[in-house]
Amino acid sequence: SLSNHKDWIIFKENNHQIQLDINNSKIQEYIKQHIEPYVSIPKQDILVQIDKQKNIPLIQGIGKDGISIDIPKLTGQVVSSLLNNNTPIQVPTIKHQARFIDNTNTLGQKTLLGQGRSRYAGSPDNRIHNIKKSLESLQNIIIPKDQKFSFLEMVGDISISAGYKEELVIKKSGQELVKEAGGGICQVSSTIFRMALNTGMQIDAWRNHSRLVSYYEPVGLDATIYGPIQDFVFTNNTPSSILIQHELDEANGEIIFRIWGNDDGRKIRLEGPIKYNHVPIPDPADCSYPNSTKK
């Protein structure tokens, strides 16, 4: 309301008459101070340089698109709203695409091929710890053309001695919940699975959890791992090497994995999920929650 922003009002003389007008520059100052900090996100480019000490490519930055407010357009909408009984406004934004800049010519110029997301919000502390621990080994992974990505190979030892904590895992076809080292890292493998699926990668080893887990909704887009028995593996079937990066959005409890590579024009279409052979969750009294990792 203009009654709350009297400094937005200006008066002009026109043919010996005083006319009321609105000061656009004051509105823009307000937008920059009170709206822009909550909407705008700076873009982050990926820069590839040579590590002079090791003489190998050094990847800097996490590729992430940015958003800014279209201030002139929003200013016009605010003025229109003020003159039309404060009609609602949808803040107009401008998207700024992250760039992949290779100054070494070792990886070549790449674009964002796709991404995968999952939410872990509400997880117990040990589960969150294990998620963060596994992510340490999964930043800036380069997979050459026709080579495989193995989750278990990339993450390595999943044990107490490796820094993981005990948390619930699903055992015996969903009939038991057992505390073991690394419980919860399937959140990470599931997110990578979604990334690979959304970019049309060749999936070589994958299976769902044997029990529905709320963190992995929608149903069917999860990938369980349990070393050394069950792995998640995909092949880079794009024309060149790919770069895998992740972002941990702790404020919203979300993991995001992205693939950067060379677009070959492929189109991805997902059908489903299609549910079948559904078995009700067993009674909690029949589930096991031992204090030991042994069962």
Side-chain angles (χ1 to χ4, degrees):
S1 171
L2 281 175
S3 63
N4 296 326
H5 301 281
K6 295 182 177 63
D7 59 331
W8 294 4
I9 303 173
I10 56 177
F11 297 93
K12 295 181 179 180
E13 181 182 353
N14 186 15
N15 294 328
H16 305 290
Q17 292 183 341
I18 301 298
Q19 294 182 341
L20 181 147
D21 203 351
I22 298 178
N23 190 332
N24 287 1
S25 62
K26 288 291 185 180
I27 295 177
Q28 292 180 356
E29 288 178 11
Y30 181 88
I31 292 171
K32 292 177 181 178
Q33 183 177 355
H34 297 284
I35 301 177
E36 193 171 38
Y38 301 97
V39 177
S40 297
I41 302 173
K43 79 179 179 74
Q44 300 179 32
D45 295 330
I46 300 174
L47 179 63
V48 184
Q49 295 181 319
I50 289 293
D51 186 326
K52 295 181 180 180
Q53 294 182 341
K54 300 180 180 179
N55 197 31
I56 58 175
L58 178 65
I59 300 171
Q60 298 178 323
I62 305 300
K64 183 179 179 181
D65 292 344
I67 296 174
S68 65
I69 295 178
D70 189 333
I71 293 181
K73 187 174 181 179
L74 179 56
T75 302
Q77 291 181 350
V78 170
V79 173
S80 177
S81 175
L82 290 171
L83 299 177
N84 291 279
N85 299 318
N86 293 328
T87 53
I89 297 173
Q90 180 73 36
V91 176
T93 58
I94 302 171
K95 185 176 180 180
H96 303 278
Q97 192 169 25
R99 297 182 301 161
F100 188 100
I101 306 169
D102 184 0
N103 292 329
T104 68
N105 293 321
T106 54
L107 298 178
Q109 300 304 318
K110 300 186 181 300
T111 59
L112 180 64
L113 299 182
Q115 63 182 11
R117 294 171 175 262
S118 73
R119 286 180 56 80
Y120 66 89
S123 294
D125 290 343
N126 282 5
R127 190 173 192 274
I128 294 175
H129 169 87
N130 292 336
I131 289 171
K132 292 181 177 180
K133 178 64 181 176
S134 65
L135 287 173
E136 293 176 0
S137 306
L138 296 167
Q139 191 68 283
N140 291 328
I141 303 296
I142 298 173
I143 307 296
K145 175 186 176 183
D146 297 326
Q147 296 299 305
K148 295 183 184 298
F149 169 94
S150 163
F151 184 87
L152 292 179
E153 181 180 319
M154 288 295 176
V155 173
D157 183 23
I158 303 172
S159 65
I160 298 296
S161 60
Y164 288 92
K165 296 183 178 181
E166 291 186 349
E167 192 48 74
L168 295 176
V169 300
I170 301 171
K171 303 291 287 289
K172 294 188 177 181
S173 300
Q175 298 301 308
E176 290 187 352
L177 297 177
V178 181
K179 280 195 173 184
E180 292 187 357
I185 64 174
C186 292
Q187 184 86 49
V188 179
S189 59
S190 294
T191 314
I192 297 176
F193 166 64
R194 295 178 181 190
M195 174 198 70
L197 196 65
N198 290 334
T199 50
M201 295 293 168
Q202 175 183 308
I203 308 299
D204 301 304
W206 159 71
R207 71 179 291 263
N208 293 114
H209 289 77
S210 54
R211 184 171 181 172
L212 296 181
V213 181
S214 61
Y215 301 116
Y216 305 139
E217 293 180 350
V219 174
L221 296 181
D222 59 304
T224 183
I225 59 97
Y226 192 82
I229 303 169
Q230 181 63 47
D231 196 2
F232 169 67
V233 182
F234 73 85
T235 297
N236 170 20
N237 59 354
T238 69
S240 64
S241 63
I242 58 173
L243 172 70
I244 299 175
Q245 292 190 325
H246 72 257
E247 175 190 353
L248 185 66
D249 183 353
E250 295 189 64
N252 295 306
E254 188 175 40
I255 305 171
I256 308 164
F257 269 89
R258 300 183 180 96
I259 287 185
W260 292 78
N262 293 92
D263 189 359
D264 59 2
R266 69 183 62 186
K267 303 296 182 183
I268 313 303
R269 185 184 69 197
L270 301 180
E271 296 181 2
I274 300 170
K275 300 180 183 179
Y276 65 95
N277 195 31
H278 181 264
V279 178
I281 296 176
D283 188 289
D286 297 331
C287 296
S288 177
Y289 297 83
N291 295 321
S292 171
T293 58
K294 302 296 183 180
K295 176 62 179 177

